[in-house]
Amino acid sequence: MSESEATKFLTGDVSVQGEVKTYFERIEEKKHLNAYVTLMHDEALQRAKDSDERRKKNKALPLDGLPIAVKDNFCTAGVLTTAGSKILGNFVPTYESFVTQKLLDAGAVFLGKTNMDEFGMGSSTEKSMHGPTINPNVRSDGTQVVPGGSSGGSAAAVAADLAVAAIGTDTGGSLRQPAAFCGVVGFKPSYGHCSRWGVIAYGSSLDQPGTITKSVADAAILLDVMIARDPKDSTSIDYEGPSLQSALNAGSKKFTVGIPEELAGLVSSQYLEYVWDRAKELCGKANIEIKPVSLPHIRYALPAYYIIALSEASSNLARYDGMRYGYSDQGANNLIERYERSRSAGFGEEVRRRILLGTYSLSSGYYDEYYLRATKVRRKIKEDFDAALQHVDAMIWPTAPTTAFAFGLDATDPLTMYLEDVFTVPINLAGVPAASIPIGVYDDGLPVGLQVVGARHRDADVIGIAHKIEKVADYVRPCTIG
Ligand code: GLN
């Protein structure tokens, strides 16, 4: 779908209150998907009422009345925020994250908070204290599949029409991979364009807020509001490019995209062959030229990511000690025991595993061998991206090595899940922008995602190219949607 649902909503003669009520009815009907963990019923209806009044007076704000779903790691003032974790206890922030505040200032209506893997750690939205989210798309043999993760709640909500659009975060693929699994569009801006202030941290040098929408145009509409410099985030930077919406009208502009030669050797399968063939076919139709490029160090991206992200996580999550706030085990006899018991019961198994691995890589004696080496690899990867992107407007490659998988993939081996991130994490290491767009339906009846990967700060080119491909792909949702 390439037309903009947000534009229809914003320019149409709609009753925002009526629409918001309909969304809540549908959310109730599709409760089994477990896309939302907290509904913002009263706030949403009040804001919808205010919005209707503004719209009537022709004083509409840029996103006036737009029903949006918010991943549960954005702090929302007065609304329970869990990041999928028990350790936050009943945390109700007194403040609003920078990005959600921007959306509210533009008139958006938040329907509720969406499910996610605990602290963003996962690729399936199974690892949440709220239980798993279900992908509204069903495999043609009837198997239920995961929505991807960690922003699986946001992606499932958009795919099942439980919001016009959603926001989430992407540390190593958490917007793009769930978007691919659910058949919607995920957009991760260049690192630093959307402020991380008020977002519950996972890996701070990688985390980046972004969007999950039904079309590239909708992503541009939201991101034009969300992207802004924020003095409260020291890594926030000015975006100096053209507005993302203006990039939708690239018209006859001739784009060239690169396909990195090394990717075919990274993982190969029948599915990936299908994605490559389809991507080439679509570029041909969209009059986009393809050139080979090279990313010589890309095969080191996955291990480097899992060292850097976990090291940062172990440091970020040290603050949850059962003393200052959040879940606290009351049965302990002394301070150390309180820390141990609170952290053992408050964090899920995957988060505990990652804290241990991250702490190990940072510990003296291992730091040089793991963390330091991984940061050197990261630098090489960044340089590779910069060099490759000098010759092309963007690069393309599959979002994930498989379509959405069944529940319990990593029941016996956590590494199987980490491997699912092989195509998304290099982009976070390089800090560049990327979109995942649905380009078809595979033999198993599930959506296929393609990434468009741009140069740093050239988010507008990603929008322009993704929009062109989206138009010729003419993706239609499979009829197996549940
Ligand atoms: N699946 C990756 C991880 O578990 C990425 C998650 C994310 O982007 N938050 O680290």
Side-chain angles (χ1 to χ4, degrees), residues 71 119-123 149-150 169-175 202 305-306 309-310 354 421 425 428:
K71 187 177 181 180
F119 287 105
M121 297 179 184
S123 312
S150 63
T169 53
D170 192 311
T171 306
S174 278
L175 288 160
Y202 166 11
Y305 169 85
Y306 270 96
L310 274 46
R354 293 186 183 208
D421 302 332
V425 298
N428 300 73

Side-chain angles (χ1 to χ4, degrees), residues 79-103:
V79 181
L80 183 70
T81 299
T82 70
S85 185
K86 199 173 143 188
I87 198 115
L88 282 158
N90 292 318
F91 174 51
V92 177
T94 51
Y95 52 89
E96 194 68 41
S97 85
F98 182 86
V99 163
T100 48
Q101 187 63 53
K102 280 270 163 204
L103 292 168

Side-chain angles (χ1 to χ4, degrees), residues 58-72:
N58 278 331
K59 287 202 170 135
L61 298 163
L63 300 181
D64 223 326
L66 200 71
I68 290 179
V70 177
K71 187 177 181 180
D72 205 21

